[in-house]
């Protein structure tokens, strides 16, 4: 277990670390999230799935305070965070990746990870370099630490985004379609990394993904959105058998 990347405030495994309660947000009269409530427990991977336009990315932007909800609360470790700025949310313990990779192209992999280690945690800390190196090691990028990001593959840049987020020493990691554009081998590697984040670091993960098979194989719970509303929440087995989810998103299985 890598102490450099441990969550900052350990607690009981059953404790909710992230909670959304009655979140509503609308843009120009269009309701994007409707009375959304769910919780992510400490040290679990929760999947957030649904059709395009269901509100998944908006949910991430509300959690990270890019958007402020019209009503409802977002709590981290029981403390309300809706009035914070995005950088303050990161320093409180929520880090994220993006659907379209946002790395610093003219910096090295280590420099990218150091951005998270220095600016994503209060005070940065003398252990910033240790956290950055540990994050690169966990995602398999140690040998590329001095490579300029512009010369890295899409798969490696997606891994680097995760490393940069982990270097902030988060309590919660938000993953926004980390498998987009990856081949089957790269998807397997990404799946293994997400499992390591949960199993070795104990960090809670909220994961938006269209690779439903991966979500169902890894996640402890799955939340399903449709038109901004939660239509199901439960274990992967419960969700794939839910008639509302089948009709709205999964579709009927093809007969053998």
């Amino acid at each position: 277990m890598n102490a450099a990347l441990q969550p900052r405030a350990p607690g009981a495994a059953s404790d909710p670390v992230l909670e959304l309660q009655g979140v509503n947000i609308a843009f120009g009269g269009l309701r994007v999230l409707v009375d959304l409530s769910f919780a992510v427990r400490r040290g679990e991977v929760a999947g957030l799935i649904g059709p395009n336009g269901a509100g998944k990315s908006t949910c991430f932007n509300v959690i990270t305070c890019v958007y402020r909800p019209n009503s409802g609360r977002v709590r981290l470790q029981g403390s309300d965070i809706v009035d914070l700025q995005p950088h303050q949310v990161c320093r409180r313990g929520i880090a994220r990746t993006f659907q379209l990779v946002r790395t610093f192209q003219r910096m090295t992999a280590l420099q990218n990870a150091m951005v998270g280690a220095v600016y994503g945690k209060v005070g940065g800390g003398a252990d910033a370099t240790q956290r950055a190196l540990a994050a690169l090691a966990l995602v398999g990028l140690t040998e590329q630490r001095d490579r300029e990001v512009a010369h890295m593959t899409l798969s490696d840049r997606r891994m680097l985004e995760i490393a940069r987020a982990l270097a902030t020493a988060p309590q919660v990691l938000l993953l926004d379609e980390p498998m987009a554009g990856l081949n089957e081998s790269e998807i397997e590697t990404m799946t293994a990394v997400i499992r390591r984040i949960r199993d070795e670091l104990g960090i809670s993960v909220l994961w938006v993904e269209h690779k439903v098979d991966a979500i169902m194989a890894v996640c402890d719970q799955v939340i399903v959105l449709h038109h901004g509303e939660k239509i199901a929440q439960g274990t992967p087995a419960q969700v794939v058998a839910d008639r509302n989810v089948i009709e709205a998103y999964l579709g009927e299985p093809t007969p053998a």
Side-chain angles (χ1 to χ4, degrees):
M1 185 175 292
N2 196 317
L5 299 177
Q6 290 302 298
R8 281 167 275 189
S14 60
D15 291 345
V17 62
L18 175 68
E19 298 174 90
L20 277 69
Q21 298 179 336
V23 170
N24 290 276
I25 188 168
F27 301 109
L30 176 64
R31 300 176 75 192
V32 181
L33 294 178
V34 182
D35 196 29
L36 179 60
S37 298
F38 64 84
V40 179
R41 294 183 296 274
R42 188 172 306 282
E44 79 168 354
V45 177
L48 185 63
I49 66 173
N52 289 330
K56 303 182 297 296
S57 292
T58 299
C59 179
F60 270 24
N61 285 331
V62 167
I63 293 170
T64 54
C65 293
V66 175
Y67 300 150
R68 182 171 297 180
N70 301 116
S71 61
R73 316 313 301 172
V74 180
R75 292 186 170 88
L76 176 66
Q77 291 253 99
S79 298
D80 200 310
I81 62 172
V82 294
D83 293 326
L84 299 181
Q85 296 298 314
H87 72 278
Q88 294 173 315
V89 173
C90 182
R91 291 186 171 187
R92 289 284 185 93
I94 298 178
R96 71 172 295 181
T97 68
F98 297 87
Q99 183 177 350
L100 299 177
V101 181
R102 298 184 185 180
T103 46
F104 300 105
Q105 297 293 91
R106 295 302 175 187
M107 295 168 61
T108 67
L110 178 57
Q111 288 169 335
N112 269 263
M114 285 291 292
V115 169
V118 173
Y119 296 106
K121 184 177 180 181
V122 175
D127 61 344
T129 300
Q130 182 183 359
R131 289 201 310 277
L133 291 171
L136 291 176
L138 188 135
V139 302
L141 292 180
T142 296
E143 294 184 359
Q144 299 201 56
R145 53 177 287 180
D146 297 320
R147 182 183 292 273
E148 189 175 88
V149 174
H151 302 300
M152 296 173 70
T153 65
L154 172 62
S155 174
D156 287 341
R157 283 185 284 122
R158 288 202 177 280
M159 288 294 190
L160 180 58
E161 263 206 328
I162 293 175
R164 186 176 61 193
L166 290 175
T168 70
Q171 298 174 51
V172 181
L173 175 62
L174 309 183
L175 298 178
D176 195 350
E177 296 195 40
M179 295 181 175
L182 304 188
N183 61 35
E184 289 303 315
S185 175
E186 293 165 342
I187 287 172
E188 289 181 7
T189 302
M190 180 68 73
T191 299
V193 166
I194 294 171
R195 284 194 170 108
R196 289 188 69 190
I197 292 169
R198 174 190 61 193
D199 298 342
E200 297 180 21
L201 303 180
I203 293 173
S204 303
V205 177
L206 181 60
W207 174 15
V208 166
E209 187 58 67
H210 284 295
K211 306 289 186 183
V212 177
D213 289 348
I215 286 282
M216 297 305 172
V218 176
C219 290
D220 302 292
Q221 68 157 322
V222 180
I223 301 116
V224 188
L225 299 185
H226 187 51
H227 296 311
E229 298 186 63
K230 183 179 72 175
I231 62 171
Q233 180 177 4
T235 66
Q238 291 169 334
V239 166
V240 296
D242 190 293
R243 176 54 54 181
N244 290 330
V245 178
I246 293 170
E247 292 177 355
Y249 185 53
L250 297 180
E252 296 286 357
T254 303

